[in-house]
């Protein structure tokens, strides 16, 4: 009897051990290689953090994602090395935020040769470089530029503070080779002229998306053009934050003798819209963009096809309600 019990016990243990082992080997971990153009960028920081969070929410008892996010430190050679390393590690999918869209061809060649699917994000390359098992997730920067201009034309004085019949503006631009910078620069002004306004471009310089550069450039422009400056367009909010510091330092008052516009709708800028310290911004929806990028990556992992392009809409933020809505979206993240 005792012998039978022992045999049964050993059998049960062996069975449960087997089941346990079987359970573990049923877990499939997919490797995801992400290269971000630069970690030191407010918007891309929100984007990459949300991407990592969202991958976690998609995990199940049997499916895990090993997501490696690398900083290309705004250096194309570093990014190329990262992509090569990911390929040699045999990742299941790549997610790439190009350092330079003008160097898209070299990344395209590497990726296509490897046969690993790839989701390109945020910096749109030429259509020729979105190849087999590749797609692009982004937002149409023309829309954000148009919204910036419309925020100005929706003001009671249409941005013409000194009533001389002309909107005199300065333009602080992002990285010049970036379509986001090009389109926002072009379409913000186009929205003014489309509304029948006359415009005068006093000053147009590149601030590379960076707060410190925005601050310096706006200080220079205000020193040079003083009260002539009615509208300060910044291609993004980081530069608008810098612009704000220089506007205050020059004793100018937003909403009274000068207007300030950005893009991204960072929380601090939404709060500034609520407090009247910024005329308006445009929500660059990092939540929807990062989720669309991850969804596309997961489809590729599962051997499914993707569309070539996924576009996420921008939203105008020029009222307390709109700003609060975006703040609430951030608060739930
Ligand atoms: C833009 C964003 C900028 C900057 C840039 C990087 O869409 O508005 O703040 O992050 O992408 O490519």
């Amino acid at each position: 009897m005792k012998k039978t019990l022992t045999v049964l016990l050993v059998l049960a243990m062996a069975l449960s051990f087997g089941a346990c082992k079987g359970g573990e080997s049923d877990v499939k971990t997919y490797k995801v290689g992400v290269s971000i153009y630069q970690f030191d960028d407010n918007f891309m920081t929100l984007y990459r953090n949300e991407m990592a969070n969202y991958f976690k929410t998609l995990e199940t008892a049997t499916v895990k994602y090993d997501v490696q996010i690398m900083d290309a430190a705004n250096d194309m050679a570093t990014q190329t090395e990262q992509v090569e390393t990911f390929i040699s590690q045999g990742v299941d999918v790549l997610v790439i935020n190009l350092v330079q869209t003008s160097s898209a061809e070299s990344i395209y060649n590497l990726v296509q040769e490897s046969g690993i699917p790839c989701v390109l994000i945020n910096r749109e390359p030429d259509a020729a470089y979105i190849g087999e098992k590749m797609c692009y997730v982004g937002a149409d920067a023309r829309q954000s530029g148009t919204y910036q201009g419309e925020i100005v034309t929706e003001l009671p004085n249409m941005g013409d503070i000194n009533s001389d019949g002309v909107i005199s503006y300065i333009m602080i631009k992002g990285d010049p080779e970036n379509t986001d910078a090009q389109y926002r620069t072009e379409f913000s002004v186009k929205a003014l002229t489309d509304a029948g306004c006359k415009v005068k471009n006093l000053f147009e310089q590149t601030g590379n998306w960076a707060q410190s550069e925005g601050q310096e450039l706006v200080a220079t422009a205000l020193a040079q053009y003083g009260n002539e400056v009615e509208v300060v367009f910044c291609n993004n909010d980081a530069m608008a934050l810098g612009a704000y510091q220089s506007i205050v330092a020059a004793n100018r008052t937003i909403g009274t003798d000068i207007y300030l516009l950005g893009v991204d709708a960072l929380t601090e800028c939404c709060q500034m819209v609520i407090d009247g310290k910024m005329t308006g911004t445009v929500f660059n929806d990092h939540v929807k963009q990062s989720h669309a990028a991850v969804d596309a990556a997961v489809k590729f992992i599962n051997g499914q096809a993707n569309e070539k392009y996924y576009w996420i809409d921008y939203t105008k933020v020029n009222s307390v309600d709109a700003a609060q809505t975006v703040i609430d979206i951030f608060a739930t993240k």
Side-chain angles (χ1 to χ4, degrees), residues 168-172 200-205 215-230 232 246-247 249-250 252 258:
S168 301
Y169 68 89
I170 65 173
M171 182 68 70
I172 310 301
K200 186 170 173 193
N201 183 357
L202 297 173
F203 179 99
E204 185 172 317
Q205 293 279 328
Q215 181 176 1
E216 272 173 43
L217 291 174
V218 173
T220 306
L222 289 177
Q224 201 170 343
Y225 296 100
N227 290 340
E228 251 197 279
V229 181
E230 295 172 303
V232 179
S246 296
I247 289 170
R252 302 286 295 272
I258 198 162

Side-chain angles (χ1 to χ4, degrees), residues 37 41 43-44 122-123 178 180 184 209 236 264 284:
Y37 98 94
D41 174 303
F43 173 73
M44 286 315 301
N122 171 259
R123 294 182 155 193
N178 197 297
D180 285 3
R184 288 174 192 166
W209 305 121
N236 77 343
D264 282 338
N284 191 6

Side-chain angles (χ1 to χ4, degrees), residues 266-311:
L266 303 177
T267 311
E268 36 295 44
C269 294
C270 290
Q271 192 55 51
M272 284 165 72
V273 170
I274 292 173
D275 299 340
K277 292 177 177 167
M278 211 166 143
T279 312
T281 181
V282 181
F283 183 33
N284 191 6
D285 195 334
H286 65 280
V287 179
K288 284 194 181 145
Q289 286 178 66
S290 56
H291 291 198
V294 170
D295 287 340
V298 168
K299 270 176 118 181
F300 277 143
I301 286 176
N302 294 333
Q304 292 167 287
N306 272 299
E307 308 284 331
K308 275 271 162 265
Y309 291 94
Y310 293 99
W311 297 112

Side-chain angles (χ1 to χ4, degrees), residues 30-267:
Y30 294 101
K31 284 193 198 149
V32 182
V34 184
S35 172
I36 298 294
Y37 98 94
Q38 175 163 250
F39 275 12
D40 185 15
D41 174 303
N42 312 33
F43 173 73
M44 286 315 301
T45 299
L46 295 169
Y47 196 126
R48 69 186 152 89
N49 289 342
E50 186 53 30
M51 210 156 56
N53 291 341
Y54 186 57
F55 262 117
K56 277 263 162 275
T57 68
L58 299 182
E59 288 189 335
T60 64
T62 52
V63 174
K64 305 283 173 210
Y65 298 102
D66 172 8
V67 185
Q68 275 191 71
I69 306 185
M70 305 292 286
D71 180 6
N74 210 13
D75 183 73
M76 200 57 228
T78 304
Q79 181 158 65
T80 305
E81 269 174 39
Q82 289 170 353
V83 173
E84 281 167 347
T85 306
F86 284 144
I87 291 172
S88 69
Q89 289 170 348
V91 296
D92 295 285
V93 67
L94 290 156
V95 179
I96 303 175
N97 172 210
L98 288 167
V99 170
Q100 283 168 3
T101 42
S102 55
S103 301
E105 185 177 2
S106 60
I107 295 289
Y108 163 87
N109 288 336
L110 275 176
V111 168
Q112 293 289 274
E113 217 171 277
S114 74
I116 297 173
C118 174
V119 180
L120 295 167
I121 57 167
N122 171 259
R123 294 182 155 193
E124 186 190 352
D126 194 280
Y129 303 124
I130 306 176
E132 277 292 296
K133 290 200 272 176
M134 289 177 81
C135 68
Y136 176 74
V137 176
D140 181 353
R142 284 170 285 212
Q143 189 186 38
S144 53
T146 303
Y147 284 171
Q148 281 190 307
E150 284 178 4
I151 293 173
V152 174
T153 60
E154 284 164 19
L155 293 165
N157 60 5
M158 297 181 92
D160 183 12
I161 293 169
N162 57 18
S163 309
D164 67 349
V166 181
I167 303 171
S168 301
Y169 68 89
I170 65 173
M171 182 68 70
I172 310 301
K173 300 189 291 182
D175 172 8
E177 74 143 42
N178 197 297
T179 52
D180 285 3
Q182 292 158 9
Y183 281 147
R184 288 174 192 166
T185 298
E186 183 187 341
F187 282 77
S188 52
V189 177
K190 187 174 179 299
L192 304 182
T193 52
D194 282 354
C197 303
K198 287 208 179 80
V199 294
K200 186 170 173 193
N201 183 357
L202 297 173
F203 179 99
E204 185 172 317
Q205 293 279 328
T206 294
N208 288 309
W209 305 121
Q211 178 166 346
S212 57
E213 292 187 47
Q215 181 176 1
E216 272 173 43
L217 291 174
V218 173
T220 306
L222 289 177
Q224 201 170 343
Y225 296 100
N227 290 340
E228 251 197 279
V229 181
E230 295 172 303
V231 176
V232 179
F233 282 118
C234 297
N235 281 172
N236 77 343
D237 276 356
M239 296 189 295
L241 285 169
Y244 175 76
Q245 291 169 295
S246 296
I247 289 170
V248 171
N251 287 320
R252 302 286 295 272
T253 312
I254 311 272
T256 305
D257 61 29
I258 198 162
Y259 296 117
L260 174 63
L261 287 304
V263 175
D264 282 338
L266 303 177
T267 311

